[in-house]
């Protein structure tokens, strides 16, 4: 279940423009986490990146795909 929620959060960060303004806590809550710390810890374990680092990487990937 942890992986499923984290994959959901990754998809939201990558594809949903409204998530660009969400804090890590808000993203975590949107996929079922009650604690920002638990969400960010699990997110980093799975992705190897913080939410901010992941956003930057996803943004850079999107820019490269549009080129």
């Amino acid at each position: 279940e942890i992986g499923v929620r984290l994959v959901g959060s990754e998809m939201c960060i990558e594809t949903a423009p409204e998530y660009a303004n969400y804090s890590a806590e808000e993203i975590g809550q949107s996929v079922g986490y009650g604690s920002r710390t638990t969400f960010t810890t699990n997110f980093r374990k799975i992705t190897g990146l913080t939410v901010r680092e992941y956003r930057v990487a996803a943004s850079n990937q999107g820019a490269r795909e549009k080129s």
Side-chain angles (χ1 to χ4, degrees), residues 58-67:
S59 176
N60 290 340
Q61 181 66 28
R64 281 194 297 267
E65 289 174 359
K66 290 179 184 177
S67 299

Side-chain angles (χ1 to χ4, degrees), residues 38-51:
T38 302
F39 170 68
T40 57
T41 299
N42 287 328
F43 189 90
R44 188 165 192 165
K45 279 182 188 177
I46 297 294
T47 65
L49 301 169
T50 66
V51 172

Side-chain angles (χ1 to χ4, degrees), residues 21-33:
N21 297 318
Y22 279 29
S23 67
E25 182 174 13
E26 291 170 319
I27 294 168
Q29 288 175 347
S30 75
V31 294
Y33 281 89

